[in-house]
């Protein structure tokens, strides 16, 4: 995939749910640090004080601070939690607040909605199903559907399971398919419209609408971002395992990895840890409806996500290796695994990542298997630039980590 398409991927995935100078700072080993900063020669509206638990005592502390302050200084931003895994050590950093109007610093236990990073969990479960010989990646998806779906092929070529994890199935962005929703949308009201539609949308209605899908090209060739594909994969996994999605997550991912605050059910979240999400105007946004869990509705923390990334750093693990298997593109340029984005960098390192954007949350995670580095960033604000901003923080941190002794 070319760089232009890569940018398009990010732009669409955001819709899926959707440099300053540090002048002074104080460290406080018993509480959050109040960071004061100013912009010499610049006219900008900035927060006069940003709460943080960054103690600024180590090289990594300084690297994270320098990379993070431009992002969190934006007055539209709310809270930000960062987790870093390097050389077997973990580092956590938190900035801002869990709720607008309050001084409540997030922690590594703060629960965020992680958006399309959820799709990597669904892809990992597909890899597990292949390992367990429940399915094959090249299977025609209709093998696992009840009823007749002659519409899910084009010129005799069917949609395969592998197409569902690489956005080349030809399925629409959402089901029900209503492209008019995204023509000149009001982004203050659109999230509530989509949320209402999906909250009243059942599994049966999903399969009824699946009968109406009309493919316009052979599956496996044309990139078209699809949350519906992730939802369909969820239903297939539930069928082959005879187990609901939340139980699959627990059985194969969160329980073995001891991810105590990660789940796909809003009602299972600890209300004292779950933060609210906002848009760039500071308006409270809804969480994703339950039916979108496999596509973008999982909740997690930086502590839990580092457990997940450490798991994915081990490519000797059969499930991990399979979940990173290229299903589209060329890794030397740009490729997609089982819902992971992948690339060989200019420094000849394999980079595997995913970002997420919901109505009120943005997220980004990345691993470098050769150097055993993993980074996750979670924030409770969503706007057109947030995912790129989080990626930029991660890129700057990674670029400097090799200099850390």
């Amino acid at each position: 995939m070319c760089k232009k398409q890569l940018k398009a991927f990010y732009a669409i995935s955001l819709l899926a749910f959707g440099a300053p100078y540090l002048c002074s700072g104080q460290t406080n080993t018993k509480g959050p640090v109040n960071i004061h900063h100013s912009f010499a020669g610049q006219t900008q509206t900035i927060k006069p004080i940003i709460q943080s638990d960054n103690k600024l005592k180590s090289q990594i502390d300084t690297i994270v601070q320098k990379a993070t302050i431009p992002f969190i200084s934006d007055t539209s931003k709310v809270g930000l939690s960062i987790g870093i895994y390097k050389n077997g050590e973990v580092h956590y950093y938190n900035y801002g607040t869990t709720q607008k109007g309050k001084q409540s610093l997030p922690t590594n236990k703060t629960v965020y909605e992680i958006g399309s990073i959820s799709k990597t969990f669904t892809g990992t479960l597909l890899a597990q199903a292949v390992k367990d010989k429940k399915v094959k990646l090249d299977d025609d998806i209709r093998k696992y559907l009840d009823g007749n779906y002659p519409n899910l092929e084009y010129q005799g070529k069917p949609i395969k399971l592998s197409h569902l994890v690489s956005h080349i199935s030809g399925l629409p962005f959402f089901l029900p398919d209503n492209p008019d929703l995204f023509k000149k949308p009001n982004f203050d009201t659109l999230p509530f419209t989509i949320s209402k539609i999906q909250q009243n949308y059942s599994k049966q209605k999903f399969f009824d609408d699946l009968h109406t899908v009309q493919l316009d090209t052979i599956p496996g060739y044309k990139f078209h971002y699809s949350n519906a594909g992730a939802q369909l994969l969820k239903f297939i996994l539930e069928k082959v395992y005879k187990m609901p999605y939340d139980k699959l997550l627990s059985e194969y991912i969160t329980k073995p990895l001891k991810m105590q605050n990660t789940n796909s059910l809003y009602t299972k979240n600890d209300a004292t840890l779950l933060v609210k999400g906002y848009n760039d105007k500071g308006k409270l946004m809804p969480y994703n409806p339950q039916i979108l869990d496999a596509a973008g509705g999982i909740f997690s923390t930086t502590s839990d996500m580092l457990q997940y990334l450490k798991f994915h750093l081990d490519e000797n693990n059969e499930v991990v290796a399979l979940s990173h298997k290229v299903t589209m593109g060329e890794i030397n340029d740009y490729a997609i695994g089982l819902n992971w984005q992948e690339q060989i960098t200019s420094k000849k390192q394999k980079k595997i990542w995913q970002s997420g954007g919901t109505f009120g949350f943005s997220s980004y995670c990345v691993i470098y298997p050769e150097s055993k580095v993993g980074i996750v960033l979670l924030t409770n604000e969503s706007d057109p630039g947030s995912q790129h901003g989080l990626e930029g923080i991660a890129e700057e941190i990674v670029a400097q980590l090799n200099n850390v002794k």
Side-chain angles (χ1 to χ4, degrees):
M1 176 177 286
C2 67
K3 291 182 179 179
K4 184 177 180 181
Q5 288 173 304
L6 174 58
K7 290 180 180 178
F9 184 98
Y10 269 99
I12 298 170
S13 67
L14 178 61
L15 286 172
F17 293 120
Y21 299 93
L22 184 65
C23 288
S24 62
Q26 281 185 308
T27 57
N28 181 344
T29 57
K30 294 183 180 180
V33 179
N34 290 329
I35 301 168
H36 302 253
H37 54 91
S38 65
F39 293 75
Q42 299 181 38
T43 302
Q44 296 191 25
T45 303
I46 60 172
K47 298 175 183 177
I49 296 176
I50 300 169
Q51 284 200 116
S52 174
D53 55 11
N54 188 335
K55 307 305 180 186
L56 296 174
K57 289 185 175 182
S58 69
Q59 281 182 284
I60 293 183
D61 292 352
T62 303
I63 289 168
V64 170
Q65 185 80 350
K66 182 181 177 182
T68 302
I69 288 300
F71 178 89
I72 198 64
S73 296
D74 186 328
T75 55
S76 68
K77 302 301 185 276
V78 187
L80 172 65
S81 294
I82 302 171
I84 301 172
Y85 175 81
K86 181 182 185 293
N87 294 336
E89 296 182 354
V90 296
H91 306 267
Y92 297 106
Y93 301 91
N94 299 279
Y95 293 83
T97 182
T98 61
Q99 187 175 342
K100 273 191 171 292
K102 291 187 177 182
Q103 289 194 350
S104 177
L105 187 69
T107 73
N108 65 335
K109 303 294 185 184
T110 297
V111 177
Y112 297 82
E113 197 172 48
I114 64 171
S116 285
I117 292 176
S118 305
K119 290 183 175 73
T120 71
F121 286 73
T122 309
T124 301
L125 290 174
L126 175 59
Q128 182 69 49
V130 173
K131 177 179 180 290
D132 292 342
K133 301 189 185 320
K134 299 282 187 181
V135 301
K136 295 179 181 178
L137 287 180
D138 286 337
D139 282 344
D140 182 334
I141 61 170
R142 294 174 296 183
K143 179 178 179 180
Y144 306 101
L145 305 183
D146 295 327
N148 238 351
Y149 288 89
N151 58 312
L152 298 184
E153 65 173 46
Y154 189 87
Q155 294 182 359
K157 303 293 184 181
I159 299 174
K160 299 177 181 180
L161 287 178
S162 61
H163 299 155
L164 299 180
V165 290
S166 50
H167 304 287
I168 50 177
S169 66
L171 294 178
F173 188 51
F174 277 123
L175 282 178
D177 188 15
N178 190 354
D180 289 341
L181 276 177
F182 301 97
K183 293 179 180 177
K184 298 181 180 180
N186 180 331
F187 287 105
D188 288 337
T189 59
L190 180 62
F192 296 93
T193 302
I194 295 174
S195 182
K196 184 177 180 180
I197 292 171
Q198 293 293 329
Q199 281 176 346
N200 297 320
Y201 198 53
S202 66
K203 179 179 177 179
Q204 184 57 54
K205 288 181 180 177
F206 179 95
F207 280 107
D208 288 345
D209 286 335
L210 192 62
H211 281 290
T212 69
V213 170
Q214 294 296 317
L215 303 183
D216 61 5
T217 190
I218 295 174
Y221 291 93
K222 183 179 178 181
F223 179 86
H224 180 74
Y225 198 89
S226 175
N227 290 301
Q231 290 174 275
L232 179 56
L233 179 56
K234 161 194 166 176
F235 295 138
I236 289 172
L237 290 168
E238 288 181 329
K239 181 175 183 177
V240 299
Y241 276 105
K242 297 181 175 59
M243 193 183 301
Y245 185 76
D246 65 296
K247 298 296 184 184
L248 287 171
L249 280 178
S250 176
E251 179 78 16
Y252 293 105
I253 300 178
T254 62
K255 190 174 180 180
L257 299 182
K258 298 180 180 179
M259 299 170 67
Q260 298 179 351
N261 291 304
T262 300
N263 65 82
S264 62
L265 298 174
Y266 169 81
T267 54
K268 283 193 174 181
N269 286 309
D270 184 334
T272 65
L273 299 177
L274 179 64
V275 291
K276 300 178 185 300
Y278 302 83
N279 69 4
D280 56 350
K281 296 179 181 177
K283 185 174 182 179
L284 272 174
M285 291 286 106
Y287 299 106
N288 268 334
Q290 183 63 45
I291 197 168
L292 293 173
D293 51 4
I298 290 178
F299 300 87
S300 193
T301 68
T302 52
S303 178
D304 281 3
M305 282 300 299
L306 281 194
Q307 291 295 104
Y308 182 63
L309 295 186
K310 282 192 285 183
F311 169 69
H312 272 281
L313 281 169
D314 180 14
E315 292 192 311
N316 291 320
N317 182 298
E318 184 180 351
V319 170
V320 170
L322 185 55
S323 71
H324 298 171
K325 180 179 179 179
V326 172
T327 57
M328 177 203 167
E330 169 53 53
I331 196 167
N332 287 319
D333 180 20
Y334 174 82
I336 302 177
L338 273 60
N339 281 324
W340 286 103
Q341 302 182 66
E342 306 180 17
Q343 193 174 47
I344 300 298
T345 69
S346 59
K347 295 184 178 181
K348 306 303 179 184
Q349 281 193 319
K350 183 192 286 186
K351 173 187 174 184
I352 301 173
W353 77 99
Q354 189 53 275
S355 65
T358 67
F359 305 129
F361 294 84
S362 302
S363 55
Y364 181 83
C365 68
V366 61
I367 57 172
Y368 293 83
E370 288 93 347
S371 55
K372 301 298 180 186
V373 168
I375 300 178
V376 59
L377 302 99
L378 306 176
T379 183
N380 56 332
E381 186 268 345
S382 181
D383 65 63
S386 285
Q387 289 179 57
H388 286 295
L390 297 178
E391 180 187 20
I393 294 172
E395 290 290 300
E396 186 170 344
I397 291 172
V398 168
Q400 298 298 321
L401 279 181
N402 289 334
N403 300 324
V404 175
K405 298 179 181 178

